[in-house]
Amino acid sequence: MRIGFGYDSHRFEEGRPLLLGGVLFPDCAGLKGHSDADVLIHAVIDALLGAAALGDIGSHFPDTDARWKGADSVRFLASVVDEVRGAGFAIGNVDATVICEKPKLRPRVDEIRANLAAILGIDVSRVSVKGKTNEKMDDVGAGVGIEVHCAVLLDEGKE
Ligand code: MG
Protein backbone atom coordinates (compact mmCIF):
# COMPACT_ATOMS: atom_id res chain seq x y z
CA MET A 1 0.00 0.00 0.00
CA ARG A 2 1.20 3.55 -0.77
CA ILE A 3 0.08 6.81 0.81
CA GLY A 4 0.04 10.18 -0.92
CA PHE A 5 -0.60 13.69 0.30
CA GLY A 6 -1.64 16.67 -1.82
CA TYR A 7 -2.05 20.35 -1.04
CA ASP A 8 -3.18 23.31 -3.12
CA SER A 9 -4.42 26.85 -2.65
CA HIS A 10 -5.81 29.51 -4.96
CA ARG A 11 -6.97 33.11 -4.47
CA PHE A 12 -10.47 34.24 -5.31
CA GLU A 13 -10.84 36.31 -8.48
CA GLU A 14 -14.11 37.96 -9.48
CA GLY A 15 -15.47 37.15 -12.91
CA ARG A 16 -14.34 33.53 -13.01
CA PRO A 17 -16.50 30.43 -12.39
CA LEU A 18 -15.87 28.57 -9.12
CA LEU A 19 -15.32 24.84 -9.66
CA LEU A 20 -14.66 22.46 -6.78
CA GLY A 21 -14.24 18.80 -7.69
CA GLY A 22 -15.69 19.65 -11.10
CA VAL A 23 -18.90 21.01 -9.52
CA LEU A 24 -19.91 24.61 -10.31
CA PHE A 25 -20.77 27.02 -7.48
CA PRO A 26 -22.58 29.78 -9.40
CA ASP A 27 -23.13 32.14 -6.45
CA CYS A 28 -19.47 32.52 -5.47
CA ALA A 29 -16.43 34.21 -7.03
CA GLY A 30 -14.07 31.87 -8.86
CA LEU A 31 -10.38 31.25 -8.30
CA LYS A 32 -7.35 32.73 -10.01
CA GLY A 33 -5.23 30.28 -11.98
CA HIS A 34 -3.80 29.29 -15.36
CA SER A 35 -6.23 26.37 -15.74
CA ASP A 36 -9.81 26.48 -14.43
CA ALA A 37 -8.18 26.62 -10.93
CA ASP A 38 -10.18 23.71 -9.48
CA VAL A 39 -8.19 23.67 -6.24
CA LEU A 40 -9.80 20.44 -4.97
CA ILE A 41 -8.96 18.47 -8.10
CA HIS A 42 -5.41 19.87 -8.05
CA ALA A 43 -4.86 18.61 -4.49
CA VAL A 44 -6.30 15.17 -5.40
CA ILE A 45 -3.95 15.02 -8.40
CA ASP A 46 -0.90 15.83 -6.27
CA ALA A 47 -1.92 13.20 -3.71
CA LEU A 48 -2.24 10.54 -6.45
CA LEU A 49 1.05 11.51 -8.12
CA GLY A 50 2.74 11.67 -4.72
CA ALA A 51 1.60 8.18 -3.72
CA ALA A 52 2.87 6.78 -7.02
CA ALA A 53 6.05 8.93 -6.90
CA LEU A 54 5.22 10.20 -10.40
CA GLY A 55 6.07 13.89 -9.89
CA ASP A 56 3.52 16.64 -9.34
CA ILE A 57 0.83 18.58 -11.17
CA GLY A 58 3.34 21.25 -12.24
CA SER A 59 5.59 18.71 -13.95
CA HIS A 60 2.63 17.17 -15.83
CA PHE A 61 0.66 20.31 -16.70
CA PRO A 62 3.02 23.32 -16.42
CA ASP A 63 1.30 26.70 -16.02
CA THR A 64 3.74 28.09 -18.59
CA ASP A 65 2.18 25.86 -21.28
CA ALA A 66 -0.49 27.63 -23.36
CA ARG A 67 -2.22 24.26 -23.90
CA TRP A 68 -3.40 24.31 -20.28
CA LYS A 69 -4.72 27.90 -20.23
CA GLY A 70 -8.29 27.73 -18.96
CA ALA A 71 -8.05 23.92 -19.08
CA ASP A 72 -10.70 21.72 -17.48
CA SER A 73 -9.03 20.15 -14.43
CA VAL A 74 -11.34 17.13 -14.76
CA ARG A 75 -9.28 16.24 -17.84
CA PHE A 76 -6.05 16.56 -15.82
CA LEU A 77 -7.42 14.21 -13.17
CA ALA A 78 -8.69 11.66 -15.72
CA SER A 79 -5.25 11.63 -17.35
CA VAL A 80 -3.46 11.21 -13.99
CA VAL A 81 -5.83 8.38 -13.00
CA ASP A 82 -4.90 6.59 -16.25
CA GLU A 83 -1.20 7.12 -15.57
CA VAL A 84 -1.41 5.87 -11.98
CA ARG A 85 -3.40 2.80 -13.08
CA GLY A 86 -0.95 2.24 -15.94
CA ALA A 87 1.88 2.17 -13.40
CA GLY A 88 0.14 -0.74 -11.68
CA PHE A 89 -1.75 0.97 -8.86
CA ALA A 90 -5.40 0.76 -7.83
CA ILE A 91 -6.95 3.69 -5.99
CA GLY A 92 -7.97 2.66 -2.47
CA ASN A 93 -9.56 5.80 -1.10
CA VAL A 94 -9.40 9.59 -1.20
CA ASP A 95 -9.96 11.94 1.75
CA ALA A 96 -9.92 15.70 1.13
CA THR A 97 -10.46 18.72 3.39
CA VAL A 98 -11.49 21.99 1.74
CA ILE A 99 -10.86 25.10 3.88
CA CYS A 100 -12.67 28.33 3.06
CA GLU A 101 -15.03 30.86 4.61
CA LYS A 102 -17.31 30.55 1.58
CA PRO A 103 -18.99 28.83 -0.16
CA LYS A 104 -20.54 26.41 2.32
CA LEU A 105 -19.60 22.99 1.01
CA ARG A 106 -21.73 20.68 3.11
CA PRO A 107 -24.98 21.03 1.13
CA ARG A 108 -23.13 19.93 -2.03
CA VAL A 109 -20.56 17.53 -0.62
CA ASP A 110 -22.33 14.40 -1.89
CA GLU A 111 -22.53 15.86 -5.40
CA ILE A 112 -18.78 16.58 -5.31
CA ARG A 113 -18.02 13.09 -3.94
CA ALA A 114 -20.08 11.45 -6.69
CA ASN A 115 -18.39 13.53 -9.37
CA LEU A 116 -14.88 12.71 -8.10
CA ALA A 117 -15.74 9.01 -7.68
CA ALA A 118 -16.88 8.85 -11.32
CA ILE A 119 -13.62 10.41 -12.57
CA LEU A 120 -11.53 8.21 -10.25
CA GLY A 121 -13.49 5.10 -11.30
CA ILE A 122 -14.09 4.03 -7.69
CA ASP A 123 -17.17 3.68 -5.51
CA VAL A 124 -18.37 6.88 -3.84
CA SER A 125 -17.97 5.15 -0.45
CA ARG A 126 -14.19 5.48 -1.00
CA VAL A 127 -14.30 9.24 -1.58
CA SER A 128 -14.53 11.69 1.32
CA VAL A 129 -14.76 15.48 1.00
CA LYS A 130 -14.99 17.62 4.11
CA GLY A 131 -15.61 21.36 4.20
CA LYS A 132 -14.52 23.62 7.03
CA THR A 133 -13.75 27.26 7.71
CA ASN A 134 -10.49 28.63 9.08
CA GLU A 135 -12.37 30.30 11.97
CA LYS A 136 -11.58 33.73 10.44
CA MET A 137 -7.85 33.18 11.04
CA ASP A 138 -5.15 34.11 8.53
CA ASP A 139 -5.74 34.86 4.83
CA VAL A 140 -8.03 31.90 4.20
CA GLY A 141 -10.07 32.97 7.22
CA ALA A 142 -10.22 36.49 5.81
CA GLY A 143 -11.77 35.08 2.62
CA VAL A 144 -8.76 35.60 0.35
CA GLY A 145 -8.89 32.11 -1.13
CA ILE A 146 -9.42 28.38 -0.73
CA GLU A 147 -6.99 25.78 0.56
CA VAL A 148 -7.28 21.99 0.14
CA HIS A 149 -5.45 19.10 1.81
CA CYS A 150 -5.87 15.58 0.44
CA ALA A 151 -4.68 12.08 1.36
CA VAL A 152 -4.98 8.99 -0.86
CA LEU A 153 -4.09 5.34 -0.56
CA LEU A 154 -3.01 3.29 -3.55
CA ASP A 155 -2.81 -0.49 -3.71
CA GLU A 156 0.32 -1.69 -5.45
CA GLY A 157 0.38 -4.47 -7.98
CA LYS A 158 -3.24 -4.13 -9.08
CA GLU A 159 -4.70 -3.76 -12.62
MG1 MG B 1 -3.63 24.62 -8.37
Side-chain angles (χ1 to χ4, degrees), residues 56-125:
D56 63 20
I57 189 168
S59 63
H60 285 66
F61 312 104
D63 63 8
T64 48
D65 190 329
R67 268 185 302 169
W68 312 130
K69 188 164 169 51
D72 178 358
S73 294
V74 168
R75 282 180 45 215
F76 292 169
L77 180 55
S79 150
V80 165
V81 166
D82 282 349
E83 186 177 347
V84 163
R85 289 227 166 85
F89 297 103
I91 301 166
N93 75 300
V94 173
D95 181 22
T97 301
V98 180
I99 309 167
C100 56
E101 300 304 307
K102 61 180 185 184
K104 287 283 169 242
L105 248 68
R106 194 163 305 148
R108 301 194 64 192
V109 142
D110 287 339
E111 196 183 335
I112 297 172
R113 290 174 61 220
N115 204 46
L116 287 176
I119 306 160
L120 294 163
I122 59 177
D123 192 82
V124 71
S125 66

Coordinates of all heavy atoms in Angstrom, one line a residue, residues 56-125:
D56 N 4.6 15.8 -9.9 CA 3.5 16.6 -9.3 C 2.8 17.3 -10.5 O 3.1 17.1 -11.7 CB 4.0 17.7 -8.3 CG 5.0 18.7 -8.9 OD1 5.0 18.9 -10.2 OD2 5.7 19.3 -8.2
I57 N 1.7 18.0 -10.1 CA 0.8 18.6 -11.2 C 1.6 19.5 -12.1 O 1.4 19.6 -13.3 CB -0.4 19.2 -10.5 CG1 -1.4 19.6 -11.6 CG2 0.0 20.4 -9.6 CD1 -2.8 20.0 -11.0
G58 N 2.6 20.3 -11.5 CA 3.3 21.2 -12.2 C 4.2 20.6 -13.3 O 4.5 21.2 -14.3
S59 N 4.7 19.4 -13.0 CA 5.6 18.7 -13.9 C 4.8 18.1 -15.1 O 5.3 17.9 -16.2 CB 6.5 17.6 -13.3 OG 5.7 16.6 -12.7
H60 N 3.5 17.8 -14.8 CA 2.6 17.2 -15.8 C 1.9 18.2 -16.7 O 1.7 18.0 -17.9 CB 1.6 16.3 -15.2 CG 2.1 15.0 -14.7 ND1 3.1 14.8 -13.7 CD2 1.9 13.7 -15.1 CE1 3.4 13.6 -13.5 NE2 2.7 12.9 -14.4
F61 N 1.5 19.3 -16.0 CA 0.7 20.3 -16.7 C 1.2 21.7 -16.3 O 0.6 22.4 -15.6 CB -0.8 20.2 -16.3 CG -1.4 18.8 -16.4 CD1 -1.5 18.0 -15.2 CD2 -1.7 18.2 -17.6 CE1 -2.0 16.7 -15.3 CE2 -2.2 16.9 -17.6 CZ -2.3 16.2 -16.5
P62 N 2.4 22.1 -16.8 CA 3.0 23.3 -16.4 C 2.1 24.5 -16.7 O 1.5 24.6 -17.8 CB 4.3 23.4 -17.2 CG 4.4 22.2 -18.1 CD 3.2 21.3 -17.8
D63 N 2.1 25.5 -15.8 CA 1.3 26.7 -16.0 C 2.0 27.7 -17.0 O 1.4 28.8 -17.2 CB 0.9 27.4 -14.7 CG 2.1 27.9 -13.9 OD1 3.2 27.9 -14.5 OD2 1.9 28.3 -12.7
T64 N 3.1 27.3 -17.5 CA 3.7 28.1 -18.6 C 3.3 27.6 -20.0 O 3.7 28.2 -21.0 CB 5.3 28.0 -18.5 OG1 5.6 26.6 -18.4 CG2 5.8 28.7 -17.3
D65 N 2.6 26.5 -20.0 CA 2.2 25.9 -21.3 C 0.8 26.4 -21.7 O -0.2 26.2 -21.0 CB 2.1 24.3 -21.1 CG 2.0 23.6 -22.4 OD1 1.4 24.1 -23.3 OD2 2.5 22.5 -22.5
A66 N 0.8 27.0 -22.9 CA -0.5 27.6 -23.4 C -1.6 26.6 -23.6 O -2.8 26.9 -23.5 CB -0.2 28.4 -24.7
R67 N -1.2 25.3 -23.7 CA -2.2 24.3 -23.9 C -3.1 24.2 -22.7 O -4.3 23.7 -22.8 CB -1.5 22.9 -24.0 CG -1.2 22.5 -25.4 CD -0.6 21.1 -25.5 NE 0.6 21.0 -24.7 CZ 1.2 19.8 -24.3 NH1 0.6 18.7 -24.7 NH2 2.3 19.8 -23.6
W68 N -2.6 24.5 -21.5 CA -3.4 24.3 -20.3 C -4.1 25.6 -19.8 O -4.7 25.6 -18.7 CB -2.5 23.8 -19.2 CG -1.6 22.6 -19.6 CD1 -0.3 22.5 -19.4 CD2 -2.0 21.4 -20.3 NE1 0.2 21.3 -19.9 CE2 -0.9 20.6 -20.5 CE3 -3.2 20.9 -20.8 CZ2 -0.9 19.4 -21.1 CZ3 -3.3 19.7 -21.4 CH2 -2.1 19.0 -21.6
K69 N -4.0 26.7 -20.6 CA -4.7 27.9 -20.2 C -6.2 27.7 -20.2 O -6.8 27.3 -21.2 CB -4.3 29.0 -21.2 CG -4.9 30.4 -20.7 CD -4.2 31.5 -21.4 CE -4.9 32.9 -21.2 NZ -5.1 33.1 -19.7
G70 N -6.8 27.9 -19.1 CA -8.3 27.7 -19.0 C -8.7 26.3 -19.0 O -9.9 26.0 -19.1
A71 N -7.7 25.3 -18.9 CA -8.0 23.9 -19.1 C -9.0 23.4 -18.0 O -9.0 23.9 -16.8 CB -6.8 23.1 -19.1
D72 N -9.8 22.4 -18.4 CA -10.7 21.7 -17.5 C -9.9 20.8 -16.6 O -9.3 19.8 -17.1 CB -11.7 21.0 -18.4 CG -12.7 20.2 -17.6 OD1 -12.6 20.2 -16.3 OD2 -13.6 19.6 -18.2
S73 N -9.8 21.0 -15.3 CA -9.0 20.2 -14.4 C -9.5 18.7 -14.4 O -8.8 17.8 -14.0 CB -9.0 20.8 -13.0 OG -8.3 22.0 -13.1
V74 N -10.8 18.5 -14.7 CA -11.3 17.1 -14.8 C -10.5 16.3 -15.8 O -10.2 15.1 -15.5 CB -12.8 17.1 -15.1 CG1 -13.3 15.7 -15.5 CG2 -13.7 17.7 -14.0
R75 N -10.1 16.9 -16.8 CA -9.3 16.2 -17.8 C -7.9 15.9 -17.3 O -7.3 14.9 -17.6 CB -9.1 17.1 -19.1 CG -10.4 17.0 -20.0 CD -10.2 17.9 -21.2 NE -8.9 17.7 -21.9 CZ -8.1 18.6 -22.5 NH1 -8.6 19.8 -22.6 NH2 -7.0 18.3 -23.0
F76 N -7.3 16.8 -16.5 CA -6.1 16.6 -15.8 C -6.2 15.3 -14.9 O -5.3 14.4 -14.9 CB -5.6 17.7 -14.9 CG -5.3 19.0 -15.6 CD1 -5.1 20.2 -14.9 CD2 -5.1 19.1 -17.0 CE1 -4.7 21.4 -15.5 CE2 -4.7 20.2 -17.6 CZ -4.5 21.4 -16.9
L77 N -7.3 15.3 -14.1 CA -7.4 14.2 -13.2 C -7.6 12.9 -13.9 O -7.0 11.9 -13.5 CB -8.6 14.5 -12.2 CG -8.9 13.4 -11.2 CD1 -7.7 13.1 -10.3 CD2 -10.1 13.8 -10.3
A78 N -8.4 12.9 -15.0 CA -8.7 11.7 -15.7 C -7.4 11.1 -16.3 O -7.1 9.9 -16.3 CB -9.7 11.9 -16.8
S79 N -6.5 12.0 -16.8 CA -5.2 11.6 -17.4 C -4.3 11.1 -16.3 O -3.6 10.1 -16.5 CB -4.7 12.8 -18.1 OG -3.3 12.8 -18.1
V80 N -4.3 11.7 -15.1 CA -3.5 11.2 -14.0 C -4.0 9.8 -13.5 O -3.2 9.0 -13.2 CB -3.4 12.3 -12.9 CG1 -2.9 11.7 -11.6 CG2 -2.5 13.4 -13.3
V81 N -5.3 9.7 -13.4 CA -5.8 8.4 -13.0 C -5.4 7.3 -14.0 O -4.9 6.2 -13.5 CB -7.4 8.5 -12.9 CG1 -8.0 7.1 -12.8 CG2 -7.8 9.3 -11.8
D82 N -5.4 7.6 -15.3 CA -4.9 6.6 -16.3 C -3.4 6.3 -16.0 O -3.0 5.1 -16.1 CB -5.1 7.2 -17.7 CG -6.5 7.1 -18.2 OD1 -7.3 6.4 -17.5 OD2 -6.8 7.7 -19.2
E83 N -2.6 7.3 -15.8 CA -1.2 7.1 -15.6 C -0.9 6.3 -14.3 O -0.1 5.4 -14.3 CB -0.5 8.5 -15.5 CG 1.0 8.4 -15.4 CD 1.7 9.7 -15.4 OE1 1.1 10.7 -15.7 OE2 2.9 9.7 -15.2
V84 N -1.6 6.6 -13.2 CA -1.4 5.9 -12.0 C -1.8 4.4 -12.1 O -1.1 3.5 -11.7 CB -2.2 6.6 -10.9 CG1 -2.4 5.7 -9.6 CG2 -1.5 7.9 -10.5
R85 N -3.0 4.2 -12.8 CA -3.4 2.8 -13.1 C -2.4 2.1 -14.0 O -2.1 0.9 -13.8 CB -4.8 2.8 -13.8 CG -5.9 3.2 -12.9 CD -7.1 2.2 -13.0 NE -8.0 2.5 -11.9 CZ -8.9 3.4 -11.9 NH1 -9.1 4.2 -13.0 NH2 -9.6 3.6 -10.8
G86 N -1.9 2.8 -15.0 CA -1.0 2.2 -15.9 C 0.3 1.8 -15.3 O 1.1 0.9 -15.7
A87 N 0.7 2.5 -14.2 CA 1.9 2.2 -13.4 C 1.6 1.0 -12.4 O 2.5 0.7 -11.7 CB 2.4 3.4 -12.7
G88 N 0.4 0.5 -12.5 CA 0.1 -0.7 -11.7 C -0.5 -0.5 -10.3 O -0.4 -1.4 -9.4
F89 N -1.1 0.7 -10.1 CA -1.8 1.0 -8.9 C -3.3 1.0 -9.0 O -3.8 1.4 -10.0 CB -1.3 2.3 -8.4 CG 0.2 2.5 -8.1 CD1 1.0 3.1 -8.9 CD2 0.7 1.9 -6.9 CE1 2.4 3.2 -8.7 CE2 2.1 2.0 -6.6 CZ 2.9 2.7 -7.5
A90 N -4.0 0.6 -7.9 CA -5.4 0.8 -7.8 C -5.6 1.8 -6.7 O -4.9 1.8 -5.7 CB -6.1 -0.6 -7.5
I91 N -6.6 2.6 -7.0 CA -6.9 3.7 -6.0 C -7.8 3.1 -4.9 O -8.9 2.5 -5.1 CB -7.7 4.9 -6.7 CG1 -6.8 5.5 -7.8 CG2 -8.0 5.9 -5.6 CD1 -7.6 6.4 -8.7
G92 N -7.3 3.2 -3.6 CA -8.0 2.7 -2.5 C -9.0 3.6 -2.0 O -10.2 3.3 -2.0
N93 N -8.6 4.8 -1.5 CA -9.6 5.8 -1.1 C -8.9 7.2 -1.2 O -7.7 7.3 -1.3 CB -10.1 5.5 0.3 CG -9.0 5.9 1.4 OD1 -8.0 5.3 1.4 ND2 -9.4 6.8 2.3
V94 N -9.8 8.2 -1.1 CA -9.4 9.6 -1.2 C -10.1 10.3 -0.1 O -11.3 10.1 0.2 CB -9.8 10.2 -2.6 CG1 -9.6 11.7 -2.6 CG2 -9.1 9.5 -3.7
D95 N -9.4 11.1 0.7 CA -10.0 11.9 1.7 C -9.4 13.4 1.6 O -8.2 13.6 1.8 CB -9.6 11.3 3.1 CG -10.2 12.1 4.3 OD1 -11.2 12.8 4.0 OD2 -9.7 12.0 5.4
A96 N -10.3 14.3 1.3 CA -9.9 15.7 1.1 C -10.6 16.6 2.1 O -11.8 16.4 2.5 CB -10.3 16.1 -0.3
T97 N -9.9 17.7 2.5 CA -10.5 18.7 3.4 C -10.3 20.0 2.7 O -9.2 20.4 2.3 CB -9.7 18.8 4.7 OG1 -9.8 17.5 5.4 CG2 -10.3 19.9 5.6
V98 N -11.4 20.7 2.4 CA -11.5 22.0 1.7 C -11.7 23.1 2.8 O -12.7 23.0 3.6 CB -12.7 22.0 0.7 CG1 -12.7 23.4 0.0 CG2 -12.6 20.9 -0.3
I99 N -10.8 24.1 2.8 CA -10.9 25.1 3.9 C -11.2 26.4 3.2 O -10.4 26.9 2.4 CB -9.5 25.2 4.7 CG1 -9.1 23.8 5.2 CG2 -9.7 26.1 5.9 CD1 -7.7 23.7 5.7
C100 N -12.3 27.0 3.6 CA -12.7 28.3 3.1 C -13.8 28.9 3.9 O -14.5 28.2 4.6 CB -13.1 28.2 1.6 SG -14.4 27.1 1.3
E101 N -13.9 30.2 3.9 CA -15.0 30.9 4.6 C -16.3 30.8 3.8 O -17.4 30.7 4.3 CB -14.7 32.3 4.9 CG -13.5 32.5 5.8 CD -13.5 31.7 7.1 OE1 -14.5 31.9 7.9 OE2 -12.5 31.0 7.4
K102 N -16.2 30.8 2.5 CA -17.3 30.5 1.6 C -16.8 29.9 0.3 O -15.6 30.2 -0.1 CB -18.1 31.8 1.3 CG -17.3 32.9 0.6 CD -18.0 34.2 0.4 CE -17.1 35.1 -0.4 NZ -17.4 36.3 -0.7
P103 N -17.6 29.2 -0.4 CA -19.0 28.8 -0.2 C -19.1 27.8 0.9 O -18.1 27.1 1.3 CB -19.5 28.3 -1.5 CG -18.3 27.6 -2.1 CD -17.1 28.5 -1.7
K104 N -20.3 27.5 1.4 CA -20.5 26.4 2.3 C -20.6 25.2 1.5 O -21.3 25.1 0.5 CB -21.9 26.6 3.0 CG -21.9 27.7 4.1 CD -21.2 27.2 5.4 CE -20.9 28.3 6.4 NZ -19.4 28.5 6.6
L105 N -19.7 24.2 1.8 CA -19.6 23.0 1.0 C -20.6 21.9 1.4 O -21.1 21.2 0.5 CB -18.2 22.4 1.2 CG -17.3 22.5 -0.1 CD1 -17.0 23.9 -0.4 CD2 -16.1 21.6 0.1
R106 N -21.0 21.9 2.6 CA -21.7 20.7 3.1 C -23.0 20.4 2.3 O -23.2 19.2 1.9 CB -22.1 20.8 4.6 CG -22.5 19.5 5.2 CD -22.5 19.5 6.7 NE -21.2 19.8 7.2 CZ -21.0 20.4 8.4 NH1 -22.1 20.8 9.1 NH2 -19.8 20.7 8.8
P107 N -23.8 21.4 1.9 CA -25.0 21.0 1.1 C -24.7 20.3 -0.2 O -25.5 19.7 -0.8 CB -25.7 22.4 0.9 CG -25.1 23.3 1.9 CD -23.7 22.8 2.2
R108 N -23.4 20.5 -0.7 CA -23.1 19.9 -2.0 C -22.0 18.9 -2.0 O -21.5 18.5 -3.0 CB -22.8 21.1 -3.0 CG -24.0 22.1 -3.1 CD -23.8 23.0 -4.2 NE -23.9 22.3 -5.5 CZ -23.6 22.9 -6.6 NH1 -23.2 24.2 -6.6 NH2 -23.6 22.3 -7.8
V109 N -21.7 18.5 -0.8 CA -20.6 17.5 -0.6 C -20.8 16.2 -1.3 O -19.9 15.6 -2.0 CB -20.3 17.3 0.9 CG1 -19.9 15.9 1.2 CG2 -19.1 18.3 1.3
D110 N -22.1 15.7 -1.3 CA -22.3 14.4 -1.9 C -22.3 14.5 -3.4 O -21.8 13.5 -4.1 CB -23.7 13.8 -1.4 CG -23.6 13.4 0.0 OD1 -22.5 13.1 0.5 OD2 -24.7 13.3 0.7
E111 N -22.6 15.6 -4.0 CA -22.5 15.9 -5.4 C -21.1 15.9 -5.8 O -20.7 15.3 -6.8 CB -23.2 17.2 -5.7 CG -23.5 17.5 -7.1 CD -24.1 19.0 -7.2 OE1 -24.6 19.5 -6.2 OE2 -24.0 19.5 -8.3
I112 N -20.2 16.5 -5.0 CA -18.8 16.6 -5.3 C -18.2 15.2 -5.2 O -17.4 14.7 -6.1 CB -18.1 17.5 -4.4 CG1 -18.6 19.0 -4.5 CG2 -16.5 17.5 -4.6 CD1 -18.1 20.0 -3.5
R113 N -18.5 14.5 -4.1 CA -18.0 13.1 -3.9 C -18.4 12.2 -5.1 O -17.5 11.5 -5.6 CB -18.6 12.5 -2.7 CG -18.0 13.1 -1.4 CD -18.8 12.6 -0.2 NE -18.5 11.1 0.0 CZ -19.5 10.2 0.3 NH1 -20.7 10.7 0.6 NH2 -19.2 9.0 0.4
A114 N -19.6 12.3 -5.6 CA -20.1 11.4 -6.7 C -19.3 11.8 -8.0 O -18.9 10.9 -8.7 CB -21.6 11.6 -6.9
N115 N -19.1 13.1 -8.2 CA -18.4 13.5 -9.4 C -16.9 13.0 -9.4 O -16.4 12.5 -10.4 CB -18.4 15.1 -9.5 CG -18.3 15.6 -10.9 OD1 -18.9 15.1 -11.8 ND2 -17.4 16.6 -11.0
L116 N -16.3 13.2 -8.2 CA -14.9 12.7 -8.1 C -14.8 11.2 -8.2 O -13.9 10.7 -8.9 CB -14.3 13.1 -6.8 CG -13.9 14.6 -6.6 CD1 -13.4 14.9 -5.2 CD2 -12.9 15.1 -7.6
A117 N -15.7 10.5 -7.6 CA -15.7 9.0 -7.7 C -15.9 8.5 -9.1 O -15.2 7.6 -9.5 CB -16.9 8.4 -6.8
A118 N -16.7 9.2 -9.9 CA -16.9 8.8 -11.3 C -15.6 9.1 -12.1 O -15.2 8.2 -12.9 CB -18.0 9.7 -11.9
I119 N -14.9 10.2 -11.8 CA -13.6 10.4 -12.6 C -12.5 9.4 -12.1 O -11.7 8.9 -12.9 CB -13.1 11.9 -12.3 CG1 -14.2 12.9 -12.7 CG2 -11.9 12.1 -13.1 CD1 -14.0 14.2 -12.0
L120 N -12.5 9.1 -10.8 CA -11.5 8.2 -10.3 C -11.8 6.8 -10.6 O -11.0 5.9 -10.5 CB -11.5 8.4 -8.7 CG -11.0 9.8 -8.2 CD1 -11.3 9.9 -6.8 CD2 -9.4 9.9 -8.4
G121 N -13.1 6.5 -11.0 CA -13.5 5.1 -11.3 C -13.6 4.2 -10.1 O -13.3 3.0 -10.1
I122 N -13.9 4.8 -8.9 CA -14.1 4.0 -7.7 C -15.5 4.3 -7.1 O -16.1 5.3 -7.5 CB -13.0 4.3 -6.7 CG1 -12.9 5.8 -6.3 CG2 -11.6 3.9 -7.2 CD1 -11.9 6.1 -5.2
D123 N -15.9 3.5 -6.1 CA -17.2 3.7 -5.5 C -17.1 5.0 -4.7 O -16.1 5.3 -4.0 CB -17.5 2.5 -4.6 CG -19.0 2.5 -4.2 OD1 -19.8 2.1 -5.0 OD2 -19.2 3.0 -3.1
V124 N -18.3 5.6 -4.6 CA -18.4 6.9 -3.8 C -18.1 6.7 -2.4 O -17.6 7.6 -1.7 CB -19.8 7.5 -4.1 CG1 -20.9 6.8 -3.4 CG2 -19.7 9.0 -3.7
S125 N -18.3 5.4 -1.9 CA -18.0 5.2 -0.4 C -16.5 5.3 -0.1 O -16.1 5.3 1.0 CB -18.5 3.8 -0.1 OG -17.7 2.8 -0.8

